[in-house]
């Protein structure tokens, strides 16, 4: 009898160990891209049912963000196994771009009328900080064959485009940096602003990285703030936090709702929020692979809402 029990117990133990190890190899891990440095993840679910993440690419050894010169897109259908679709655009492809290349910063992508529109900030001049443009590359595919069609005319020299398409099909462009965030309608051609871009009113401590999503009829504008450990009088560790504001209109005015992600171990943060297969996710980046502010890696964690629609603080997992 004793022998019988111990045999049964051993079998159960072995089964448990196998199940646990299978589950752990199937678990979401952060950073989820480890074969190259990536930053500024913009996530979208496209009509093939996969989730795609458009990211910028940190170059090793880095020189601040100067040498970032190409884009990769990654996709998944289970949030665990990621496919790198490879480089699909570089600064060499941008005819109007600054002669020295580099500076391919945080991008976004939108789908409209059978085409994917990829928006990327890139300077047009050696004086990079005075000449930012929001470039547009177009493809029939989500991850390849993008061709640069020009840039959006009439914008300020600002970075970090985000394009949100509302339920009625109207596309909105947001961009900004250095404390300013502007938004406006895009025409159906997705390359021209329809009317004026206007300042997004009501945002608190806006730094950069605007992202708009909609849930239950409420618009959410999320962004990184200016938090800086060096200047923090209360001794809060770390730098940029992720904040958000809500509105009943895609162009505000916005009601500040506070912080949804504490600083990572990186100087910057840049995020996107998306629903996939019934679960909401917060994408962001950290420096945990490199311990270097400018060699960043994209991460994702689950995001939850309170019953009143506010966002619970996102737990950053490893
Ligand atoms: O990655 C370059 C720049 O750093 C992005 O445009 C900003 O949002 C910040 O992440």
């Amino acid at each position: 009898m004793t022998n019988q029990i111990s045999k049964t117990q051993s079998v159960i133990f072995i089964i448990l160990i196998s199940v646990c190890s299978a589950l752990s190899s199937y678990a979401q891990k952060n950073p989820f891209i480890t074969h190259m440095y990536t930053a500024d993840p913009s996530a979208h679910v496209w009509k093939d049912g996969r989730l795609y993440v458009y990211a910028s690419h940190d170059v090793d050894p880095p020189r601040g963000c100067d040498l970032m010169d190409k884009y990769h897109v990654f996709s998944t259908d289970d949030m665990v196994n990621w496919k790198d679709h490879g480089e699909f655009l570089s600064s060499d492809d941008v005819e109007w771009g600054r002669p020295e290349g580099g500076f391919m910063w945080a991008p976004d992508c939108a789908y409209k009328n059978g085409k994917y529109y990829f928006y990327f900030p890139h300077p047009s001049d050696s004086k990079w900080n005075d000449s930012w443009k929001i470039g547009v590359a177009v493809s029939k595919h989500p991850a390849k064959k993008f061709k640069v069609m020009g840039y959006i005319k009439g914008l300020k020299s600002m970075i970090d485009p985000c394009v949100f398409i509302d339920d009625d099909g109207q596309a909105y462009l947001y961009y900004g940096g250095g404390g300013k965030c502007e938004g406006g309608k895009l025409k159906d051609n997705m390359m021209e602003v329809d009317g004026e871009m206007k300042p997004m009113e009501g945002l608190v401590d806006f730094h950069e990285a605007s992202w708009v999503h909609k849930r239950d009829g409420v618009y959410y504008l999320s962004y990184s703030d200016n938090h800086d450990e060096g200047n923090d009088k209360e001794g809060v560790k770390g730098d940029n936090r992720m904040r958000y504001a809500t509105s009943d209109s895609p162009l505000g005015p916005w009601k500040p709702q506070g912080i949804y992600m504490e600083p990572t171990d990186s100087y910057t943060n840049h995020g996107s929020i998306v629903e996939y297969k019934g679960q909401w996710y917060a994408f962001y980046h950290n420096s945990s692979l490199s311990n270097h502010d400018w060699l960043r890696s994209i991460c994702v964690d689950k995001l939850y809402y309170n019953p009143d629609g506010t966002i619970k603080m996102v737990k950053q997992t490893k």
Side-chain angles (χ1 to χ4, degrees):
M1 182 67 177
T2 317
N3 257 353
Q4 187 56 41
I5 289 172
S6 72
K7 224 174 169 184
T8 313
Q9 280 176 330
S10 315
V11 170
I12 291 173
F13 184 69
I14 289 165
I15 292 172
L16 274 177
I17 294 282
S18 318
V19 169
C20 286
S21 87
L23 281 178
S24 71
S25 66
Y26 202 71
Q28 166 69 53
K29 292 196 178 77
N30 276 321
F32 64 89
I33 299 298
T34 53
H35 65 283
M36 61 187 289
Y37 292 112
T38 51
D40 309 323
S42 288
H44 290 278
V45 180
W46 296 141
K47 59 191 175 108
D48 62 1
R50 293 181 72 81
L51 181 145
Y52 288 78
V53 180
Y54 298 82
S56 46
H57 167 54
D58 282 348
V59 173
D60 189 12
R63 196 175 67 203
C65 293
D66 303 16
L67 304 176
M68 301 170 70
D69 66 344
K70 58 185 159 206
Y71 297 110
H72 279 228
V73 56
F74 309 91
S75 77
T76 185
D77 64 1
D78 60 6
M79 299 302 287
V80 175
N81 297 293
W82 291 89
K83 174 174 178 178
D84 178 357
H85 294 264
E87 178 184 328
F88 66 91
L89 198 77
S90 89
S91 54
D92 294 341
D93 303 322
V94 189
E95 268 179 27
W96 47 264
R98 71 196 289 273
E100 303 88 342
F103 290 92
M104 297 291 263
W105 283 14
D108 194 17
C109 193
Y111 175 78
K112 179 124 187 188
N113 298 335
K115 288 187 187 150
Y116 295 86
Y117 294 83
F118 181 73
Y119 298 88
F120 60 98
H122 184 64
S124 60
D125 193 272
S126 302
K127 289 185 184 164
W128 60 273
N129 211 19
D130 297 333
S131 65
W132 285 105
K133 302 275 183 282
I134 303 299
V136 189
V138 184
S139 174
K140 285 188 183 149
H141 310 275
K144 60 183 180 187
K145 298 191 177 169
F146 278 93
K147 190 169 176 338
V148 179
M149 303 303 287
Y151 57 82
I152 301 179
K153 301 275 169 20
L155 297 182
K156 299 196 168 102
S157 175
M158 300 203 295
I159 58 172
D160 290 3
C162 153
V163 172
F164 163 74
I165 302 195
D166 209 345
D167 303 331
D168 61 1
Q170 175 64 56
Y172 295 86
L173 169 73
Y174 308 82
Y175 77 137
K180 281 190 203 141
C181 179
E182 294 195 354
K185 285 184 180 177
L186 279 178
K187 290 187 181 169
D188 242 20
N189 63 18
M190 299 294 275
M191 291 205 46
E192 285 176 288
V193 174
D194 190 357
E196 300 271 299
M197 294 295 284
K198 61 170 199 164
M200 295 295 90
E201 307 281 351
L203 304 181
V204 166
D205 202 18
F206 177 84
H207 179 49
E208 57 192 14
S210 46
W211 177 265
V212 172
H213 75 279
K214 187 180 184 182
R215 178 182 176 269
D216 292 345
V218 177
Y219 299 87
Y220 292 74
L221 195 163
S222 47
Y223 56 96
S224 66
D225 73 9
N226 294 292
H227 185 257
D228 186 332
E229 183 177 323
N231 298 332
D232 191 293
K233 296 197 175 66
E234 285 139 29
V236 176
K237 297 266 182 240
D239 296 304
N240 295 168
R241 297 172 293 203
M242 298 305 295
R243 286 181 180 266
Y244 74 106
T246 53
S247 178
D248 56 10
S249 147
L251 294 175
W254 298 94
K255 180 177 176 206
Q257 299 285 5
I259 294 161
Y260 74 91
M261 189 182 293
E262 294 292 3
T264 68
D265 59 356
S266 196
Y267 185 61
T268 61
N269 201 354
H270 189 119
S272 55
I273 296 175
V274 70
E275 187 181 24
Y276 188 49
K277 298 188 175 176
Q279 171 68 55
W280 285 89
Y281 293 95
F283 286 81
Y284 58 102
H285 62 229
N286 70 22
S287 292
S288 63
L289 278 188
S290 65
N291 291 316
H292 190 297
D293 280 334
W294 307 116
L295 291 176
R296 301 163 291 179
S297 300
I298 54 177
C299 299
V300 61
D301 275 303
K302 290 181 177 163
L303 176 143
Y304 298 96
Y305 295 86
N306 292 306
D308 65 359
T310 53
I311 297 177
K312 293 188 179 181
M313 193 68 84
V314 173
K315 286 189 192 132
Q316 298 171 38
T317 63
K318 290 194 175 147

